[in-house]
């Protein structure tokens, strides 16, 4: 599994640094209330920010987390009951050393000056237009996307293609073998079903192996 991300306020992160671990879950709710820390993959956090933090005016930070440094389970689960899109949920507090980088994001009224870890930081700005409205500069989001989303996206695409190819390969081979034994059409259908029965668990095994390899890297 590649890096995962969590949005919070700079004030909450400063409090976590003082306490020795991060125990928030999502905006306005704690780990004790929810049972896990809501996190996102590289392509998800901008939408989470828009949905939950768009009206927040205080400085925000984006925590970049290395799952390999966590000693608690990370489970992909639907973001809401009945939902189809899954998000990584961390079932325990975040130790400070699992957060490999803290990226300041601009709040609704200015730029975060929260602390960072790592070798570089990225900031954004907010400007005021003539009618008094505030226009957000999205340079922070774009920079983080360019740095983190690209490699993560490519790895996930490669894994998904390989898993799908494994499943389709089993189905095709099963169909061919079934048709060879019985040429009235039912052989191919039976072979296709048999290939799917074998291919689904095999594809899951390939997916788990690829995820484990990603964490070890």
């Amino acid at each position: 599994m590649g890096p995962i991300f969590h949005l919070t306020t700079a004030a909450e992160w400063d409090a976590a640094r003082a306490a020795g671990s991060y125990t928030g879950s999502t905006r306005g709710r704690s780990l004790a209330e929810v049972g896990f820390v809501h996190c996102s993959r590289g392509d998800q956090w901008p939408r989470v920010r828009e949905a939950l933090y768009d009206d927040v005016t205080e400085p925000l930070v984006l925590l970049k987390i290395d799952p390999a440094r966590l000693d608690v389970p990370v489970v992909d689960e639907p973001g809401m009951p009945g939902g189809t899109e899954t998000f990584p949920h961390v079932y325990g507090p975040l130790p400070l050393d699992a957060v490999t980088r803290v990226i300041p994001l601009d709040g609704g009224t200015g730029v975060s000056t929260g602390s960072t870890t790592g070798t570089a930081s990225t900031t954004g700005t907010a400007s005021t237009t003539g009618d008094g409205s505030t226009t957000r500069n999205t340079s922070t989001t774009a920079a983080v996307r360019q740095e983190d989303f690209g490699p993560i996206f490519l790895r996930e695409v490669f894994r998904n293609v390989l898993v799908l190819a494994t499943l389709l390969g089993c189905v095709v081979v099963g169909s061919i073998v079934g048709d060879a034994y019985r040429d009235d059409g039912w052989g191919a259908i039976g072979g296709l079903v048999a290939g799917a029965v074998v291919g689904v668990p095999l594809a899951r095994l390939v997916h788990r192996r690829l995820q484990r390899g990603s964490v070890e890297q």
Side-chain angles (χ1 to χ4, degrees):
M1 181 184 293
I4 57 177
F5 301 87
H6 178 76
L7 282 160
T8 188
T9 64
E12 288 178 315
W13 174 242
D14 287 341
R17 293 176 64 206
S21 64
Y22 179 83
T23 56
S25 175
T26 186
R27 180 181 177 184
R29 304 191 68 186
S30 68
L31 172 63
E33 293 176 287
V34 178
F36 56 82
V37 180
H38 282 270
C39 294
S40 307
R41 289 182 286 274
D43 60 324
Q44 295 175 319
W45 72 262
R47 286 183 284 119
V48 173
R49 178 187 182 184
E50 183 178 0
L52 297 180
Y53 291 90
D54 191 56
D55 62 337
V56 174
T57 57
E58 61 182 303
L60 299 174
V61 292
L62 180 68
L63 307 182
K64 182 178 179 181
I65 303 160
D66 181 359
R69 299 188 184 187
L70 297 172
D71 56 1
V72 294
V74 181
V75 182
D76 274 340
E77 297 176 317
M80 61 183 64
T84 57
E85 184 178 15
T86 62
F87 292 79
H89 292 161
V90 178
Y91 278 83
L94 297 178
L96 299 183
D97 62 357
V99 179
T100 60
R101 189 174 176 200
V102 181
I103 305 167
L105 304 177
D106 56 308
T109 58
V111 180
S112 168
T113 57
S115 59
T116 63
T117 61
T119 59
S121 62
T122 309
T123 59
T125 59
S127 58
T128 304
T129 61
D131 60 1
S133 61
T134 300
T135 302
R136 179 175 296 163
N137 184 332
T138 58
S139 60
T140 304
T141 302
V144 177
R145 279 179 179 167
Q146 181 178 6
E147 176 188 353
D148 296 311
F149 171 60
I152 295 170
F153 177 76
L154 291 177
R155 284 196 299 269
E156 290 186 353
V157 168
F158 173 75
R159 284 200 295 264
N160 291 336
V161 168
L162 194 55
V163 170
L164 182 60
T166 301
L167 177 58
L168 290 179
C170 290
V171 170
V172 170
V173 170
S175 179
I176 293 173
V177 172
D179 187 58
Y181 278 99
R182 186 172 177 176
D183 60 1
D184 60 356
W186 288 106
I189 295 175
L192 187 148
V193 172
V197 170
V198 173
V200 169
L202 184 59
R204 287 178 177 173
L205 177 62
V206 170
H207 184 259
R208 286 197 298 268
R209 291 284 181 87
L210 290 173
Q211 281 192 322
R212 188 178 303 121
S214 177
V215 170
E216 289 173 352
Q217 290 174 2

